[in-house]
Amino acid sequence: MAKTRAWRKWSVLPGFGLSMGYTLFYLSLIVLIPLAGTFLKTATLTWAQFWAAVASPRALASYRLTFGASLVAAAVNGVFGLIVAWVLVRYKFPGRRLVDALVDLPFALPTAVAGIALTMIYSPKGWLGQYLEPLGIKVAFTPLGITLALIFIGLPFVVRTVQPVLEDLEPEVEQVAASLGANRWQTFWRVIVPTLLPALLTGFALSFARAVGEYGSVIFIAGNMPMKTEITPLLIIIKLEQYDYAGATALAVAMLVVSFAMLLVINLLQRWGTRRHVS
Amino acid sequence: MTTPAHRTPESDPILGDGRSSPVASPPNGEGNPNRTSRHVTRRIAERATTEPRLVRWALIAVALGFLGAFVVLPMAAVFATALQKGISTYIDNIKDPMVLSAMKLTLIAAGIAVPLNLIFGLAASWAIAKFEFYGKQVLITFIDLPFSVSPVVSGLIYVLIFGLQGWFGPWLNEHDIKIIFAVPGIVLATIFVTFPFVARELIPLMQAQGAEEEEAALTLGASGWQTFRRVTLPNVKWGLLYGVILCNARAMGEFGAVSVVSGHIRGLTNTMTLHIEILYNEYHSVAAFAVASLLALLALVTLAIKSAVEWRVKQQLRSARQTVIEREAT
């Protein structure tokens, strides 16, 4: 035990220095230094410049749209994701394994492909758009279309976080609830939902976080009209194309702060979930 | 004692197999009062622990309808539009030289990003899973960071470093090195967005497996490198494959980050996804969907391999946990 160092336990295995060194080197080079550079870049702006970029009416309108649509999409995914997870875990029906595999398609399908496909389906002459148009429902090129695209890309998160918890749920707990006189709805509401809650909220938060930053699947269906259907990531690209690097950086830093806050929330939710799970 | 909560597969076709009893249900013997009453008890218990049949069918219908509208329909739309003008137009659209050069660039970007992130994943998981040190959780969070950053911002951070207005921009310009609006920028952005994939598959798997097998190999005289190659790698191979497949799918499909750093120079800095955007915006939608169908096929192949590998990963994880339980029992 002569080699014991204060910050790590001694081990007989070799290669800690090499693997740890390389990990830190690569992580710094690809992730940490570029991210820190972005934050440093905002330091070259004055506070007034930063504020003008972050709180311009056009930026505020884009936040309202981005966060509003993401929130609605995450909520829809929360409800339907729970139903999909429930059906996949509890019921048996033909093609269940295929359906289970299909849930991950939004992870695997490139966002640009999803974007043009959804636009084609919901444009006024599209497969579904042509039936919705006479009803006065416009989907493509409206906030509704943006929400649909965000539902698509956030779909797997809730299913994949709820599913394992639901699988591990002991049937005995429900039997006890039933034998104590609870009906099915009471058992679901008072026994199952509280157990699933951490996973459900984690899935909701993951879906929301993903939706806020999403770009590829949204820009085709959005229509991209300033103040109306312009999401924040697109506004960053527009600023870049106008060579307004300061404005783009300010918006990017605002989005990074939101991302990190969401990451913190998700970590706390997951910790809550595992603590529950263990106890 | 009866097991009232268990419904047998025979009595109900749609109940999940995880909850069905392995014991076959007794035949409903009408002349036997004992059996009939048991049957009634079971029926009452079933009502309390699963949903009425109508609710079950309704929930399945809702779930399938939701997935149909959001997953199956877009996939069908991609292939239907791509083949709208016949198979020969489809082939012509794909054999277009601009499409071929976009394909080449996509393959180059993924071909560099995936191996680099694979090496990183192995190094990071070895350091994190096989050793105990302070700050481990912080390190894991840092590795996951790229997942929570918007793709557009992922591209922008490299523009701010290597772009003309960036930290190294003037110096790079003087030495005539192009990173942004050139292939290196695309590769960098691809590496960033796919950074955590392999590491985050391997870390939990190797953590569950512990370091005992490696320690045994070392005691028996294997070198560190032999131990890694002959003990660790075979133990994690399915998790490794799983991570690589997901990493590759994302690398080939990335759009936002690549879009920021590319500069959209046709035939030079256009990846497949960027080329889809150009074709689509120029109203060549059949051609756009033809290129998109290739990426959609890649997604389907990815899903197929993923499902095939998934249960093996779970098995490896389960056997690792089993070993831990047995070890603690003795």
Side-chain angles (χ1 to χ4, degrees), chain B residues 11-295:
Chain B
S11 70
D12 196 314
I14 63 163
L15 203 67
D17 45 10
R19 289 157 57 80
S20 59
S21 162
V23 188
S25 73
N28 195 1
E30 278 164 50
N32 189 335
N34 184 30
R35 280 194 177 172
T36 315
S37 78
R38 200 189 280 177
H39 188 72
V40 170
T41 323
R42 184 178 294 126
R43 282 273 297 274
I44 293 168
E46 276 162 7
R47 210 175 301 154
T49 50
T50 92
E51 296 72 48
R53 186 170 295 218
L54 203 65
V55 174
R56 291 202 299 266
W57 288 115
L59 286 176
I60 292 178
V62 169
L64 292 184
F66 179 69
L67 289 175
F70 278 96
V71 177
V72 179
L73 205 59
M75 281 308 263
V78 170
F79 291 108
T81 318
L83 295 167
Q84 210 175 47
K85 291 190 179 151
I87 193 95
S88 62
T89 320
Y90 178 78
I91 292 169
D92 286 347
N93 278 331
I94 286 171
K95 275 166 66 185
D96 182 88
M98 289 301 152
V99 173
L100 291 179
S101 81
M103 256 184 236
K104 200 173 131 200
L105 183 56
T106 295
L107 289 175
I108 289 173
I112 297 173
V114 175
L116 282 178
N117 286 336
L118 169 64
I119 294 168
F120 164 74
L122 283 170
S125 54
W126 179 265
I128 288 172
K130 304 291 177 192
F131 299 91
E132 289 306 320
F133 55 90
Y134 288 111
K136 191 185 266 191
Q137 211 48 52
V138 178
L139 185 60
I140 293 176
T141 309
F142 277 150
I143 291 173
D144 271 344
L145 267 186
F147 273 160
S148 53
V149 175
S150 166
V152 170
V153 178
S154 310
L156 178 74
I157 59 175
Y158 293 111
V159 175
L160 293 180
I161 291 183
F162 300 114
L164 210 49
Q165 312 281 320
W167 298 106
F168 300 119
W171 185 87
L172 289 170
N173 196 37
E174 255 171 49
H175 293 77
D176 211 24
I177 303 170
K178 271 188 90 77
I179 291 182
I180 299 305
F181 305 144
V183 177
I186 291 172
V187 173
L188 266 177
T190 308
I191 291 175
F192 182 91
V193 293
T194 58
F195 185 86
F197 276 99
V198 181
R200 78 160 1 184
E201 282 311 320
L202 288 184
I203 291 169
L205 184 60
M206 278 166 72
Q207 272 181 329
Q209 285 168 347
E212 282 198 347
E213 287 186 32
E214 281 82 359
E215 283 162 8
L218 287 167
T219 331
L220 292 173
S223 73
W225 183 239
Q226 278 175 324
T227 309
F228 178 73
R229 255 187 32 214
R230 303 251 178 104
V231 179
T232 312
L233 272 188
N235 272 342
V236 298
K237 63 179 177 212
W238 295 114
L240 193 75
L241 182 61
Y242 190 86
V244 165
I245 288 163
L246 295 185
C247 184
N248 179 62
R250 180 73 197 265
M252 291 192 169
E254 180 51 32
F255 176 69
V258 170
S259 169
V260 174
V261 295
S262 137
H264 306 276
I265 307 161
R266 259 178 238 220
L268 281 178
T269 63
N270 245 353
T271 62
M272 283 173 83
T273 51
L274 297 176
H275 198 63
I276 291 173
E277 184 192 22
I278 290 183
L279 288 172
Y280 187 83
N281 286 342
E282 288 174 348
Y283 302 101
H284 297 302
S285 62
V286 175
F289 275 98
V291 183
S293 73
L294 295 177
L295 289 171

Side-chain angles (χ1 to χ4, degrees), chain A residues 6-9 11-16 18-20 22-24 26-27 29-35 37-38 40-41 44 76-77 80-81 83-84 86-93 96-97 99 101-122 127-128 148-149 151-152 155 160 167 171 174-175 178 182-184 187 209-210 212-217 219-220 233-234 236-237 240-241 243 245 248-249 251-252 255-256 259-260 263 267 271, chain B residues 5-6 9 13-17 19 45 47-52 55-56 59-60 62-64 66-67 69-78 80-81 113 116-117 119-120 123-124 126-127 130-134 137 139 141-146 148-153 156-161 164-167 181 188 191-192 195 211 214-215 218 224 227 249-250 252-256 259-260 264 273 276-277 280-281 288-289 292 295-296 299-300 302-303 306-307 310-311 314:
Chain A
W7 65 288
R8 81 167 176 100
K9 255 167 123 177
S11 163
V12 69
L13 294 187
F16 180 76
L18 179 69
S19 60
M20 191 55 154
Y22 183 70
T23 301
L24 290 178
Y26 190 73
L27 177 71
L29 194 71
I30 301 291
V31 180
L32 298 182
I33 294 173
L35 282 177
T38 309
L40 278 178
K41 194 83 184 172
T44 60
V76 170
N77 277 328
F80 285 93
I83 294 176
V84 171
W86 181 270
V87 164
L88 287 176
V89 174
R90 291 287 169 106
Y91 305 151
K92 206 182 201 170
F93 53 93
R96 190 182 58 164
R97 287 202 53 189
V99 173
L102 276 181
V103 168
D104 281 326
L105 192 78
F107 280 156
L109 193 69
T111 52
V113 176
I116 59 171
L118 288 170
T119 313
M120 208 227 84
I121 292 170
Y122 290 105
W127 286 2
L128 293 180
L148 284 185
I151 293 173
F152 172 83
L155 190 150
R160 291 300 182 229
E167 272 166 4
E174 286 164 60
Q175 288 163 19
N183 65 30
R184 193 60 194 147
T187 309
R210 172 75 208 263
V212 167
E214 179 56 19
Y215 174 72
S217 61
I219 50 150
F220 295 100
L234 178 69
I236 294 178
I237 288 199
L240 269 182
E241 280 169 358
Y243 301 104
Y245 285 83
T249 312
L251 281 174
M255 286 204 72
L256 278 175
S259 306
F260 294 159
L263 192 66
N267 273 343
R271 204 164 296 170
Chain B
H6 285 290
I14 63 163
L15 203 67
D17 45 10
R19 289 157 57 80
R47 210 175 301 154
T49 50
T50 92
E51 296 72 48
V55 174
R56 291 202 299 266
L59 286 176
I60 292 178
V62 169
L64 292 184
F66 179 69
L67 289 175
F70 278 96
V71 177
V72 179
L73 205 59
M75 281 308 263
V78 170
T81 318
L116 282 178
N117 286 336
I119 294 168
F120 164 74
W126 179 265
K130 304 291 177 192
F131 299 91
E132 289 306 320
F133 55 90
Y134 288 111
Q137 211 48 52
L139 185 60
T141 309
F142 277 150
I143 291 173
D144 271 344
L145 267 186
S148 53
V149 175
S150 166
V152 170
V153 178
L156 178 74
I157 59 175
Y158 293 111
V159 175
L160 293 180
I161 291 183
L164 210 49
Q165 312 281 320
W167 298 106
F181 305 144
L188 266 177
I191 291 175
F192 182 91
F195 185 86
E214 281 82 359
E215 283 162 8
L218 287 167
T227 309
R250 180 73 197 265
M252 291 192 169
E254 180 51 32
F255 176 69
S259 169
V260 174
H264 306 276
T273 51
I276 291 173
E277 184 192 22
Y280 187 83
N281 286 342
F289 275 98
L295 289 171
L300 289 179
T302 303
L303 282 191
K306 182 176 168 296
S307 321
E310 203 156 36
W311 73 272
K314 277 186 186 160

